[in-house]
Amino acid sequence: MIQVKRGFVLLSVAGAAVLGALSLSACASTEYDQRIAEMNTRLSVVDARATSADQKADQALSADQAAQAAAAHVNERVDSLTTTVNGLEQAPPPRTPRG
């Protein structure tokens, strides 16, 4: 009978230890889950900022390419006008009518 009580006591102690360990791991799991949720939130914010910066960089690149194309067009026009002006400058002076 004493051995039965001793076994019951050991079983009770072991059960209490298991329950204690499970309750502590549940607390740790909850804290871990909360930290993971916080990190996911921060990562989402950083990802949104990176996406926004990427879009702004794409817009700036498009604007730069458009400005380069416009500058190239203006340079072509200036070259054309320079050729015309040079031709006019080298033309003989106009004749004066006899009179």
Side-chain angles (χ1 to χ4, degrees):
M1 182 128 182
I2 293 178
Q3 288 183 348
V4 173
K5 286 184 181 181
R6 183 183 269 175
F8 183 71
V9 170
L10 288 175
L11 185 60
S12 297
V13 170
V18 168
L19 286 175
L22 288 175
S23 67
L24 288 177
S25 68
C27 292
S29 176
T30 302
E31 184 177 330
Y32 176 78
D33 291 342
Q34 288 173 350
R35 290 192 185 261
I36 293 295
E38 289 173 7
M39 290 305 296
N40 284 338
T41 302
R42 289 180 187 171
L43 287 174
S44 296
V45 169
V46 170
D47 186 44
R49 287 182 183 170
T51 301
S52 174
D54 188 40
Q55 290 172 349
K56 288 179 183 178
D58 286 343
Q59 291 172 352
L61 179 62
S62 295
D64 179 55
Q65 289 172 342
Q68 285 180 355
H73 178 69
V74 167
N75 286 338
E76 289 174 8
R77 183 75 176 132
V78 167
D79 290 342
S80 172
L81 291 174
T82 301
T83 303
T84 303
V85 168
N86 287 340
L88 291 174
E89 287 176 347
Q90 292 176 358
R95 293 185 180 180
T96 55
R98 293 182 197 176

